[in-house]
Amino acid sequence: MWDLCVEGILLLMFTMVTFVALMVILLHTECNTGVTKCWVSDPHPPLHKYHKSGDFILGGIASRTGITFIPVNFMEKPIQTLLEDLTIVTKNYQHILALAFAVKEINENLQLLPNITLGFHIYDSYFNAMRTYHATMVLISTMKRFVPNYKCDLLNNLIAVIGGLDSDISLHVANLLDIYKIPQLTYGPAQGMNNGAPGLSIYQIVPDERLQYDGIISLLLHFKWMWVGVLTIDDENGERFVLNVLPVCNQNGVCVAFIERIPRLTFITEYGGLMEYGAKVHDLIMDSKANVLVVYGDSFSMIFLNWLPRLSKQEHVTDKPKVWIMTAQIDLISYIYQRDWDIGTFNGALSFSIHSRDLPGFRQFVESRNPSSPQEDGFLKDFWEQAFNCVFPNPAQENVDGDICTGKEKLQILPGPLFEIGMTGHSYSIYNAAYALAHALHTMTSSMLRRRTLVNREELKLQNQTQPSWQLHPFLRAVSFNNTAGDKISFDQNGVFAAGFDLINWIISTNQSIHKVKIGWVDHQAPSGQALTINEDAITWHSWFEQVQPLSVCSESCYPGSRKQVKEGEPFCCYDCIPCPEGKISSEKDMNDCNKCMDGNYPNKKQDFCIPKAISFLSYEEPLGISLAFSALLLSLITLLVIGMFMKHHNTPMVKANNQSLTYALLVSLLLCFLCALLFIGHPAKVMCLLQQPAFGFIFSVAVSCVLAKTITVIVAFMATRPGSSMRKWVGKRLAISMVISCCFIQAGICTVWLATSPPFPDVDMHSVTEEIVLRCNEGSATMFYCVLGYMGFLATVSLTVAFFARKLPDSFNEAKLITFSMLVFCSVWLSFIPTYLSSKGKYMVAVEVFSILASSAGLLVCIFFSKCYIIMLRPELNNRDHLMRRK
């Protein structure tokens, strides 16, 4: 019994396998012999299609119609999509017309593809992965049959596919076409799909996206927009944009106030969350101080942006206009239900755009489109109904809701967001893609013609039709030609269109008409950072800005004279302005740090620029120099008068009693002291600097030595008068002369060492006085300078001390009191000189020293010689021996 069951099961399995094998053989035979047509049909044919027959077929994947799906829960059969459930982006219908126009021109050009005609099959992607895959499989299947991976006849000779509009649609198409190595020309960005790998089937008929990134950075820097908001599409391309652009922004000083995502709506149940999110985004944009928004999105993003002004949760708040910077993929489009919405928000927007030109005959081709056009266009009817808000009569329906379409409506009256007559950037790319394929096909057929000799044209034509599409790749990569508008069309080594972007200014009128003005471009051959060229005068800003360039900064600019100080915990574009520290300037706005002026310059009061310093020295042309010079000459004249008086009355007791040789030596040294002050006045020269301090030190040492010698001579004279004193042998001129020579010799030795080791020299002082370059004599060695002063002070101290102890000697013969007082004046002057000298700057240091020289010398002259001159000139009766010898 068990054996019978096993045999039955084996027999049943063998019968089933045999049946399946026969069916496969039959299907294979029918499809390849062409004797019997394939009977497999598509259970869900495309809702829209546009076919035109030809020897070679160009496939087209358009993105015109949107479908918002109801989620599938797998509990019931999904509802079939109806035409009434579709929302059409009417503006994208021009993409379909651009391909039809290009094929028409190519077929009319007998020089480009002689004896060969191009056709096209265009399907809609519906902005949906499932529909895109389905449309692509239809393209690579049998004509009028849905048999993926089989060719049942030669009527559908697909050589390439043009599409899609967005990168995700292009990727879905590429997943299937790359299996068969069928060339795919995308008219939207395909960043990250090609990667430069050889043999891939993707060609990008729009410029490289990275060039657009460079243009955005250059645009922000050109207008100094350092505080911007960013809206990006919520997908991998948006993340790639953020990763590529934002670090470069930070490197160039541009901060991002916020980053928000533009959602992609898939299911109808997501509308509630979308509206709530849109309200949040709108309020964030309006509350931000960023007046510039960079928007990176896809062709569908404008639908979401149109909603934003209507979603605010803030009541009674007027929207503050912003400057919108749009990427090339975004076009100003609207759904039909948005046709009456105000789009003035985007007035003055700056948009990177795929370069386009008006092509001869294209406008006429578009304007001639009407419902009576060829019936192969399955996109036209519902486009017309939605664009003009009308319906075509349906015999099956008695009552028609809405206006009846007459077919005489004019496309020219449609607002810009719904449709444009002039060729858009995407349409221009499609046009160029069709011509690129035609030129590549021309080169390929010409190359085959040179290699092969066929009997007649029919055989050649048949041979051409049966060539696999992958053979077109090397010719497509090498294509290079000028299109009918004169633009060069070629690809780089990565299969990317070798061209730049245009910069467009959107001008939106009150009647919602759009005027696009080209204000610049991005050159793909220029070095990075220098690619953008812009004409500012051609820009029309939003009326709210009153035609003044908008600002977009987190903090107001720091004006010259101040610098930026970043606020703690905030981006580096948000800062406070603090004044520059003393001695530094900032000559430009928004400087991060203040700079010192170069030598020879100093900051002005506002600290925003440097002023050249004036050259300063104690000169004879200024009041201070004149006063000191006059004082020196006057005191010198007085000294000469005193000398003359003493010489005239040299035989009188008053002159004889004061040691004539020391008196004359003292008077001459004082005269030289007054005259040496003139060495400090005037432009410093080498000889002057060499003489100044050594002459001053030596001459003053002589004067003080004379004073000391006079004091000691008086003491010795009185001590010698005592009975039995041994001091009598010291009385005379030898003691005084010896003391003067000895004291002066020491000072002369110090000065000699000074001049030999580190002599004074002319110098320029840039820093001691802020506003002046001081010309002065550098001491060379400060140690030697203070040694000279110190020795002079030592002599003065000794003289003061000796004179102080001798002050009680008899007045009539005693100069000790006068010398004591004169030394007090002398020491007071020079003790006050040191702190005053060290605290002075520039020419005033010299003035202090000159004043000290004159004051101390005048003190000696007046204190020692005034009383004597008084007696000699006014009291001659006292100038006798009896009076001088009389003790008090």
Side-chain angles (χ1 to χ4, degrees):
M1 185 65 180
W2 174 253
D3 293 339
L4 290 175
C5 290
V6 171
E7 289 179 0
I9 292 172
L10 290 175
L11 180 60
L12 179 60
M13 291 177 62
F14 177 76
T15 303
M16 293 177 63
V17 169
T18 302
F19 175 77
V20 171
L22 289 173
M23 292 299 296
V24 170
I25 293 172
L26 178 60
L27 178 61
H28 181 75
T29 302
E30 290 178 347
C31 288
N32 286 280
T33 60
V35 175
T36 305
K37 296 296 182 181
C38 297
W39 48 267
V40 180
S41 62
D42 185 357
H44 298 287
L47 299 176
H48 300 91
K49 62 182 179 179
Y50 187 2
H51 286 185
K52 182 175 179 59
S53 60
D55 299 328
F56 292 98
I57 298 298
L58 298 183
I61 300 294
S63 295
R64 189 207 63 151
T65 312
I67 303 176
T68 304
F69 292 93
I70 298 176
V72 178
N73 55 16
F74 298 99
M75 300 298 293
E76 57 185 6
K77 183 178 179 180
I79 301 175
Q80 176 69 25
T81 302
L82 302 176
L83 292 176
E84 291 78 6
D85 299 328
L86 306 179
T87 305
I88 297 176
V89 182
T90 53
K91 194 168 188 175
N92 290 358
Y93 177 62
Q94 192 193 91
H95 304 168
I96 299 168
L97 297 182
L99 180 55
F101 177 72
V103 171
K104 173 179 174 293
E105 276 195 348
I106 293 169
N107 288 334
E108 292 174 354
N109 186 349
L110 301 180
Q111 302 298 321
L112 185 55
L113 290 177
N115 302 313
I116 297 176
T117 59
L118 284 182
F120 55 80
H121 290 175
I122 304 176
Y123 298 102
D124 204 333
S125 69
Y126 299 99
F127 298 97
N128 173 262
M130 179 187 72
R131 293 284 178 171
T132 302
Y133 279 119
H134 179 253
T136 307
M137 287 190 291
V138 170
L139 283 174
I140 60 179
S141 298
T142 300
M143 186 73 164
K144 299 183 180 179
R145 296 290 185 270
F146 184 70
V147 187
N149 211 29
Y150 278 92
K151 281 191 174 182
C152 295
D153 50 44
L154 299 176
L155 298 178
N156 190 7
N157 193 9
L158 182 71
I159 61 167
V161 174
I162 300 175
L165 175 58
D166 296 319
S167 58
D168 55 343
I169 300 299
S170 298
L171 180 60
H172 300 328
V173 176
N175 287 335
L176 291 178
L177 294 186
D178 199 47
I179 298 174
Y180 305 96
K181 302 304 177 188
I182 298 175
Q184 176 188 356
L185 284 79
T186 68
Y187 58 98
Q191 190 74 4
M193 293 172 58
N194 213 341
N195 297 323
L200 289 178
S201 307
I202 301 174
Y203 300 84
Q204 186 173 309
I205 202 66
V206 295
D208 192 343
E209 277 238 300
R210 291 170 294 185
L211 184 63
Q212 189 171 210
Y213 300 163
D214 191 19
I216 292 173
I217 300 297
S218 299
L219 184 62
L220 296 177
L221 296 178
H222 178 83
F223 288 111
K224 295 182 174 57
W225 291 329
M226 301 303 175
W227 187 242
V228 300
V230 176
L231 299 178
T232 67
I233 190 68
D234 191 13
D235 61 8
E236 293 181 1
N237 293 319
E239 292 302 319
R240 187 181 295 109
F241 175 82
V242 170
L243 294 176
N244 288 336
V245 174
L246 264 59
V248 183
C249 285
N250 292 333
Q251 294 170 11
N252 288 277
V254 179
C255 297
V256 176
F258 58 86
I259 302 175
E260 291 295 333
R261 306 295 193 246
I262 300 175
R264 309 197 70 170
L265 186 63
T266 304
F267 299 111
I268 197 170
T269 54
E270 297 176 350
Y271 265 114
L274 175 64
M275 297 298 104
E276 184 176 349
Y277 176 74
K280 170 194 166 186
V281 171
H282 175 267
D283 293 343
L284 176 64
I285 292 173
M286 291 299 110
D287 292 340
S288 175
K289 293 171 62 178
N291 287 330
V292 175
L293 295 176
V294 178
V295 185
Y296 178 87
D298 59 9
S299 62
F300 216 70
S301 298
M302 187 54 69
I303 303 298
F304 173 76
L305 298 179
N306 278 335
W307 271 103
L308 292 182
R310 297 175 169 267
L311 298 177
S312 176
K313 293 183 178 180
Q314 301 177 358
E315 296 183 0
H316 309 295
V317 176
T318 303
D319 285 353
K320 180 181 177 181
K322 306 288 183 179
V323 178
W324 300 78
I325 299 178
M326 308 285 190
T327 51
Q329 193 63 7
I330 300 175
D331 198 359
L332 191 51
I333 61 174
S334 297
Y335 270 152
I336 297 303
Y337 64 82
Q338 298 174 324
R339 66 187 303 155
D340 296 327
W341 290 8
D342 182 13
I343 57 174
T345 304
F346 306 104
N347 185 30
L350 305 179
S351 173
F352 290 89
S353 175
I354 301 166
H355 174 72
S356 64
R357 292 177 185 263
D358 279 334
L359 298 170
F362 181 72
R363 283 179 175 269
Q364 292 77 3
F365 179 81
V366 174
E367 291 172 357
S368 65
R369 214 70 178 175
N370 57 62
S372 62
S373 298
Q375 298 301 314
E376 295 87 354
D377 186 354
F379 296 88
L380 179 58
K381 182 173 179 287
D382 51 1
F383 157 76
W384 203 271
E385 289 181 337
Q386 294 212 19
F388 294 102
N389 194 24
C390 63
V391 294
F392 287 102
N394 187 350
Q397 295 181 350
E398 295 182 0
N399 298 324
V400 178
D401 295 332
D403 298 331
I404 301 297
C405 296
T406 64
K408 296 181 180 181
E409 293 83 0
K410 299 297 182 182
L411 294 173
Q412 298 93 314
I413 67 173
L414 293 176
L418 291 184
F419 193 77
E420 288 188 50
I421 298 296
M423 179 165 276
T424 64
H426 290 131
S427 297
Y428 194 66
S429 297
I430 295 171
Y431 177 86
N432 289 331
Y435 264 91
L437 289 167
H439 278 270
L441 187 60
H442 172 80
T443 306
M444 183 179 74
T445 54
S446 299
S447 175
M448 290 166 36
L449 183 61
R450 288 192 297 269
R451 292 198 308 264
R452 299 181 181 182
T453 302
L454 300 176
V455 176
N456 53 46
R457 293 183 179 179
E458 292 299 325
E459 293 179 358
L460 175 61
K461 185 174 180 180
L462 182 62
Q463 183 68 29
N464 287 340
Q465 290 180 348
T466 58
Q467 290 300 314
S469 57
W470 60 263
Q471 292 187 0
L472 196 61
H473 283 291
F475 303 99
L476 191 54
R477 282 193 290 268
V479 74
S480 180
F481 64 95
N482 289 336
N483 65 10
T484 55
D487 290 331
K488 183 178 180 180
I489 309 299
S490 63
F491 297 99
D492 63 14
Q493 66 274 14
N494 296 326
V496 178
F497 185 39
F501 289 95
D502 288 342
L503 185 59
I504 303 298
N505 183 205
W506 290 357
I507 303 174
I508 302 173
S509 304
T510 53
N511 62 357
Q512 306 303 300
S513 62
I514 303 173
H515 183 48
K516 296 181 179 180
V517 178
K518 181 179 177 180
I519 59 171
W521 63 90
V522 182
D523 188 356
H524 69 290
Q525 296 178 330
S528 178
Q530 304 176 19
L532 179 65
T533 301
I534 186 170
N535 178 14
E536 293 185 41
D537 296 334
I539 301 177
T540 300
W541 304 108
H542 194 286
S543 58
W544 191 87
F545 298 113
E546 297 181 349
Q547 204 50 32
V548 176
Q549 178 193 317
L551 298 177
S552 187
V553 293
C554 179
S555 301
E556 293 295 330
S557 294
C558 291
Y559 288 93
S562 62
R563 68 176 182 88
K564 297 190 295 186
Q565 185 178 52
V566 178
K567 295 180 180 179
E568 186 175 355
E570 296 190 27
F572 62 86
C573 291
C574 303
Y575 49 80
D576 294 319
C577 298
I578 61 174
C580 288
E582 185 177 357
K584 291 187 175 183
I585 68 155
S586 61
S587 57
E588 299 177 2
K589 285 185 177 181
D590 297 329
M591 293 189 68
N592 293 319
D593 201 0
C594 300
N595 303 317
K596 287 186 176 180
C597 290
M598 297 177 62
D599 288 342
N601 297 275
Y602 69 96
N604 65 334
K605 290 184 179 180
K606 293 183 179 180
Q607 294 180 281
D608 56 359
F609 68 93
C610 293
I611 302 174
K613 291 184 176 182
I615 296 177
S616 173
F617 58 91
L618 188 61
S619 70
Y620 292 104
E621 298 176 356
E622 59 180 312
L624 181 60
I626 294 173
S627 301
L628 293 175
F630 177 78
S631 300
L633 293 174
L634 178 62
L635 291 171
S636 299
L637 180 61
I638 294 173
T639 305
L640 285 173
L641 292 175
V642 174
I643 293 174
M645 186 185 303
F646 270 64
M647 291 180 69
K648 181 178 180 181
H649 300 88
H650 70 280
N651 290 324
T652 61
M654 179 65 72
V655 176
K656 289 182 178 180
N658 281 277
N659 197 332
Q660 290 184 353
S661 59
L662 283 179
T663 299
Y664 288 133
L666 178 58
L667 286 172
V668 172
S669 63
L670 289 176
L671 174 63
L672 294 176
C673 285
F674 292 132
L675 292 176
C676 82
L678 299 177
L679 293 174
F680 292 85
I681 304 174
H683 192 288
K686 185 175 182 180
V687 176
M688 183 187 295
C689 291
L690 285 173
L691 293 177
Q692 272 183 5
Q693 303 296 352
F696 150 70
F698 180 77
I699 294 171
F700 261 77
S701 296
V702 173
V704 177
S705 298
C706 290
V707 173
L708 178 60
K710 284 173 71 67
T711 307
I712 293 177
T713 299
V714 172
I715 293 174
V716 171
F718 276 96
M719 291 178 66
T721 59
R722 294 176 183 177
S725 175
S726 59
M727 299 298 295
R728 291 182 179 180
K729 60 181 180 180
W730 295 103
V731 176
K733 297 181 179 180
R734 289 182 299 175
L735 175 62
I737 293 172
S738 298
M739 290 187 63
V740 171
I741 293 175
S742 299
C743 293
C744 293
F745 179 78
I746 295 174
Q747 186 71 291
I750 296 174
C751 291
T752 302
V753 173
W754 184 7
L755 293 174
T757 56
S758 182
F761 58 90
D763 193 14
V764 177
D765 183 4
M766 296 279 192
H767 307 292
S768 61
V769 181
T770 303
E771 301 179 3
E772 296 176 350
I773 299 175
V774 179
L775 303 182
R776 67 184 185 90
C777 290
N778 192 310
E779 291 83 4
S781 173
T783 303
M784 299 305 297
F785 173 67
Y786 288 110
C787 284
V788 169
L789 289 181
Y791 181 70
M792 190 175 67
F794 169 73
L795 291 178
T797 304
V798 172
S799 297
L800 176 62
T801 304
V802 173
F804 178 78
F805 285 117
R807 72 187 185 281
K808 293 184 179 181
L809 294 177
D811 290 343
S812 299
F813 291 91
N814 185 13
E815 288 184 294
K817 286 186 178 180
L818 299 177
I819 293 173
T820 301
F821 189 69
S822 67
M823 283 294 100
L824 282 173
V825 173
F826 185 90
C827 292
S828 298
V829 170
W830 288 104
L831 285 174
S832 61
F833 161 77
I834 295 175
T836 307
Y837 181 82
L838 294 176
S839 62
S840 301
K841 295 180 180 180
K843 62 184 179 183
Y844 297 103
M845 296 179 68
V846 182
V848 167
E849 188 171 357
V850 173
F851 177 80
S852 299
I853 291 173
L854 297 178
S856 59
S857 301
L860 292 177
L861 180 65
V862 171
C863 292
I864 295 176
F865 294 99
F866 177 76
S867 60
K868 297 178 177 62
C869 293
Y870 174 77
I871 292 173
I872 293 172
M873 295 299 298
L874 300 178
R875 300 293 299 272
E877 70 275 9
L878 298 179
N879 189 5
N880 57 67
R881 183 178 179 83
D882 294 336
H883 177 74
L884 296 174
M885 294 299 295
R886 181 172 51 85
R887 293 178 178 270
K888 185 176 180 181

